[in-house]
Amino acid sequence: MSGSEYTFKVVQVSLPEPSKLVVVCDKRKRQCVCLRQVYKSCLDGLLPSYQAFYRVCSRLTKHQSTLLSGQDKQLLVALAGMDVSVPHVAVVSLAVCCRALKLCKVPAAVLHAFDDIRLQPASQVVLGLPEHILAPHGQPSPNPVQLQMTTPFPVTLPECALPADFNKQHGLLAKPYKHLVHKAVLEQHMGEFKSFSTNPFQLNRKGIAHGSRTWQNSEKQVYLFLGYYHHYQQVSQPTLQLFLSSPLIAQYVSFHIAAGHSQLYIRNFLSCARCVLRWWQSKPGGNHPSFVEGLEWLQTLGLQVADQLPRPSKDPKGLADAGKWMSAPRLVHLIHGAELQSQDQMQQQGVTVETSRDMHDAALAAMTFSHPAPVRLSCIRSLVVPAYTGPCLHPDCKEPSCEGNRLSITSESPLLMHVQLPHHKNARKWGKAVIEFDVPSDLAQLLHTYLGAPRKALLEHHLLIGDTCPYVFMDMHGRGFVAAAVLTLYWQKWLVSWGGVPMNPSMCRQVFVDERQSNSATAGPSNQGAAMVMGHSVKQWDKWYDMQYHPRLAQNAVDGMQSWRAAMLQSHPPAAPDLTLSSALHCGHVLVSDSEESRYQSCCSDSDIDIDLD
């Protein structure tokens, strides 16, 4: 078959599976080949070595290749069995391909087939690779009618092994991506997707707008998905059109399963993928039925992931053995010791950077656990100092008079401090109800001391932001704990320095609930009030925080059964009925009489007896 610049023919080769090579010759009789079997295996995710082949091949050519177009591309796509929506087909040197195949340790039969072609009398042989893998959907389709998902949808997940160069930080933002040629396309997609997700009134979107934290999680999931195909599948120009390919989504889920990620992590990605599909669905030409089928397919996949990858059961003993758990008494004593030592050092050594940092850490620990019920970390990170007079710093706040999550001083003598938290996780569900409480006297004295000269010393030491930090607590560079991961790492290092274990600060909430719900709980706050300070309800204690909920209730029930059994044995049972057996001479039936006064009654009437006697 002849195209505009090339001629094409199909050649059968001997591989582990019957495979076809599309031989392409240009006007100078140089040959190009396209191995259909390699292409199909890479798409289906069956052989990780072939996936590595595409990555190595692209790296060896430094992402430079010759593209086929027009009638030549159409003929090659048809003969090779490629997807008609492939925007580009790249041509790469066969010598490079042979080298890449050897590095990736593909089956020997594949190498022999390539060597046979390479040794033919033809002058030069090159391999035609579909850029569906090297740069799938590098540019948005100019025709909006072509917006549709790849069909048919996978009916099962492909097998996937971790890449040899696997790195947990595989997100697109983990490494600079300035080399992306179509970076503007990706940025345009992300801008439109963010507007669609976060606009307060977006009537072609189902549900309410995403808050800042929800959008950050969605953005993270998108860049992780794109980064996986950019780093490990050598997708040179990743865009949000990758979400239109259900095989790519299925392979990415298999990658998460192979990496041992939790079902909650995978379901968060699938939820993000549904949001991206709804965004595509809202665009012109997005009314294709495949979008409806794709949303149902993603929902089914999420349900089955939750069923096949259950949440791992945790218990305090197992976490303690793994070095990730501290009991409530031990944690309270540790924090109390840090408070006393920071105050003693401040009196003995005066205000220095070291003593100021120690007092800061003690105040942070006391606010996280021990004095009030464990407040959410997001509230602690966003707590501003009493002297701050600027606008609310919460990114989603639209109230002009809101003061944000604030620590305030209501009285100097006697010292009274107050915490108000209008922005917390369940603020919307609670009808914007504010969590507020007076700070206990011991903690108020510690905070008041820290907010004076010690905090000023820290701000003067950290010259990055000077004295403009509005937050009560700050990291080692004098900046607020904007990211939760920064506070988690800071907290773990502090605990280890005091002889504790590297336990996450959010785990303190489970430590507190475990003690309050245990059979040996000491006198303390009401469960409902403590749950309000923590920003949820007692029902959430039972569902998420109380790791001993089911075994404790079961053991309590078994223990209670012993008292019940003893009570049953001590009670006097009612007199058993005197059951006698009577037999009828004339009919042979046996009837039971429950009293001595009742007489036997035959199955037959008296008249029947008379008739029988006659």
Side-chain angles (χ1 to χ4, degrees), residues 18-53:
S19 303
K20 295 180 180 180
L21 288 177
V22 180
V23 181
V24 188
C25 298
D26 62 7
K27 294 180 179 179
R28 290 177 292 176
K29 302 301 181 182
R30 293 188 305 177
Q31 291 185 346
C32 312
V33 296
C34 176
L35 182 58
R36 178 180 179 181
Q37 195 265 349
V38 174
Y39 168 70
K40 292 295 292 181
S41 297
C42 184
L43 260 191
D44 299 336
L46 298 177
L47 298 175
S49 57
Y50 288 146
Q51 301 174 14
F53 161 70

Side-chain angles (χ1 to χ4, degrees), residues 552-570:
R552 184 180 61 254
L553 288 185
Q555 187 61 51
N556 290 345
V558 172
D559 295 342
M561 285 295 296
Q562 308 313 307
S563 302
W564 175 84
R565 179 177 178 274
M568 293 298 102
L569 293 176
Q570 293 176 1

Side-chain angles (χ1 to χ4, degrees), residues 320-550:
D321 295 339
K324 298 180 180 180
W325 179 270
M326 296 175 62
S327 64
R330 182 185 175 190
L331 191 55
V332 170
H333 279 83
L334 187 149
I335 296 175
H336 182 64
E339 295 178 49
L340 296 179
Q341 179 172 324
S342 65
Q343 294 173 349
D344 292 342
Q345 289 181 349
M346 188 64 66
Q347 293 178 356
Q348 297 174 4
Q349 304 177 18
V351 179
T352 63
V353 175
E354 290 74 16
T355 58
S356 300
R357 176 57 63 177
D358 290 341
M359 180 164 287
H360 165 276
D361 296 345
L364 173 61
M367 192 69 185
T368 305
F369 194 82
S370 179
H371 287 278
V375 184
R376 287 191 180 276
L377 296 181
S378 58
C379 298
I380 294 177
R381 291 188 291 111
S382 59
L383 198 66
V384 297
V385 296
Y388 178 71
T389 58
C392 178
L393 299 178
H394 195 276
D396 298 330
C397 183
K398 298 178 178 62
E399 299 290 337
S401 60
C402 180
E403 297 181 347
N405 294 343
R406 173 178 293 272
L407 174 67
S408 58
I409 300 176
T410 57
S411 174
E412 291 284 353
S413 181
L415 179 61
L416 295 177
M417 303 186 77
H418 188 77
V419 170
Q420 58 179 11
L421 305 171
H423 300 293
H424 52 91
K425 185 176 181 179
N426 289 323
R428 182 179 293 172
K429 295 181 180 179
W430 291 4
K432 298 184 178 180
V434 178
I435 299 176
E436 54 182 341
F437 54 88
D438 292 331
V439 180
S441 57
D442 292 343
L443 178 58
Q445 186 62 49
L446 179 64
L447 288 171
H448 189 266
T449 303
Y450 156 70
L451 291 175
R455 185 173 184 273
K456 184 178 180 181
L458 290 178
L459 292 175
E460 292 177 350
H461 176 70
H462 302 296
L463 301 178
L464 289 177
I465 57 175
D467 58 352
T468 60
C469 179
Y471 299 105
V472 175
F473 303 109
M474 46 192 170
D475 61 13
M476 295 299 293
H477 301 285
R479 298 169 297 194
F481 292 100
V482 179
V486 177
L487 178 56
T488 298
L489 184 61
Y490 188 93
W491 169 268
Q492 290 176 337
K493 290 183 177 180
W494 181 83
L495 274 182
V496 172
S497 67
W498 276 87
V501 299
M503 183 177 66
N504 293 341
S506 59
M507 188 68 71
C508 295
R509 298 162 66 85
Q510 292 180 305
V511 171
F512 176 76
V513 172
D514 178 76
E515 195 281 331
R516 297 310 305 152
Q517 296 282 75
S518 65
N519 295 329
S520 58
T522 59
S526 65
N527 290 348
Q528 185 175 4
M532 292 290 290
V533 174
M534 296 173 67
H536 51 222
S537 63
V538 178
K539 291 183 178 179
Q540 289 177 295
W541 283 17
D542 301 337
K543 188 175 182 179
W544 301 110
Y545 288 86
D546 188 1
M547 293 183 289
Q548 294 293 319
Y549 177 74
H550 293 94

Side-chain angles (χ1 to χ4, degrees), residues 9-291:
K9 67 177 180 178
V10 179
V11 179
Q12 191 80 18
V13 296
S14 297
L15 292 174
E17 299 178 5
S19 303
K20 295 180 180 180
L21 288 177
V22 180
V23 181
V24 188
C25 298
D26 62 7
K27 294 180 179 179
R28 290 177 292 176
K29 302 301 181 182
R30 293 188 305 177
Q31 291 185 346
C32 312
V33 296
C34 176
L35 182 58
R36 178 180 179 181
Q37 195 265 349
V38 174
Y39 168 70
K40 292 295 292 181
S41 297
C42 184
L43 260 191
D44 299 336
L46 298 177
L47 298 175
S49 57
Y50 288 146
Q51 301 174 14
F53 161 70
Y54 280 102
R55 296 199 302 270
V56 175
C57 191
S58 178
R59 185 164 59 246
L60 291 176
T61 58
K62 298 181 180 179
H63 305 282
Q64 296 178 357
S65 55
T66 304
L67 300 181
L68 299 181
S69 61
Q71 185 180 5
D72 297 316
K73 172 194 168 183
Q74 295 176 4
L75 289 174
L76 181 59
V77 166
L79 291 176
M82 301 180 190
D83 190 349
V84 295
S85 63
V86 174
H88 305 292
V89 177
V91 176
V92 182
S93 167
L94 183 59
V96 172
C97 293
C98 291
R99 182 182 176 188
L101 288 172
K102 292 179 181 179
L103 291 175
C104 296
K105 300 179 180 179
V106 300
V110 179
L111 290 174
H112 294 332
F114 274 80
D115 288 336
D116 291 342
I117 299 173
R118 189 180 180 186
L119 296 176
Q120 289 179 0
S123 58
Q124 183 179 359
V125 184
V126 296
L127 175 69
L129 293 177
E131 199 169 303
H132 186 284
I133 298 300
L134 299 182
H137 309 292
Q139 295 179 348
S141 174
N143 186 2
V145 180
Q146 296 182 0
L147 283 179
Q148 64 181 61
M149 291 198 67
T150 304
T151 55
F153 295 96
V155 296
T156 185
L157 291 181
E159 296 181 2
C160 180
L162 291 179
D165 53 347
F166 171 67
N167 185 359
K168 292 183 178 180
Q169 296 182 351
H170 62 272
L172 193 62
L173 298 183
K175 299 179 181 179
Y177 66 109
K178 298 180 181 180
H179 62 277
L180 296 181
V181 178
H182 300 291
K183 183 175 63 173
V185 177
L186 175 59
E187 293 176 349
Q188 178 185 356
H189 283 182
M190 292 302 298
E192 294 178 2
F193 178 48
K194 181 177 181 180
S195 299
F196 174 81
S197 303
T198 59
N199 282 345
F201 297 98
Q202 189 75 30
L203 301 184
N204 59 349
R205 178 198 64 216
K206 293 184 178 179
I208 60 178
H210 287 180
S212 58
R213 187 173 182 181
T214 305
W215 165 249
Q216 290 175 0
N217 293 335
S218 298
E219 186 182 33
K220 175 183 176 182
Q221 292 293 343
V222 168
Y223 283 127
L224 284 172
F225 176 71
L226 299 182
Y228 169 77
Y229 281 100
H230 178 64
H231 296 312
Y232 300 129
Q233 306 298 332
Q234 294 303 317
V235 177
S236 58
Q237 306 302 330
T239 67
L240 292 190
Q241 282 187 308
L242 288 180
F243 283 90
L244 299 180
S245 175
S246 54
L248 297 184
I249 294 178
Q251 182 178 349
Y252 185 63
V253 172
S254 297
F255 159 75
H256 279 303
I257 296 176
H261 295 158
S262 65
Q263 58 104 343
L264 181 61
Y265 190 89
I266 301 176
R267 293 179 68 187
N268 287 339
F269 162 72
L270 295 176
S271 177
C272 174
R274 288 196 297 269
C275 294
V276 175
L277 288 188
R278 292 191 184 99
W279 169 70
W280 279 116
Q281 197 177 22
S282 67
K283 298 179 71 64
N287 56 351
H288 195 272
S290 62
F291 284 101

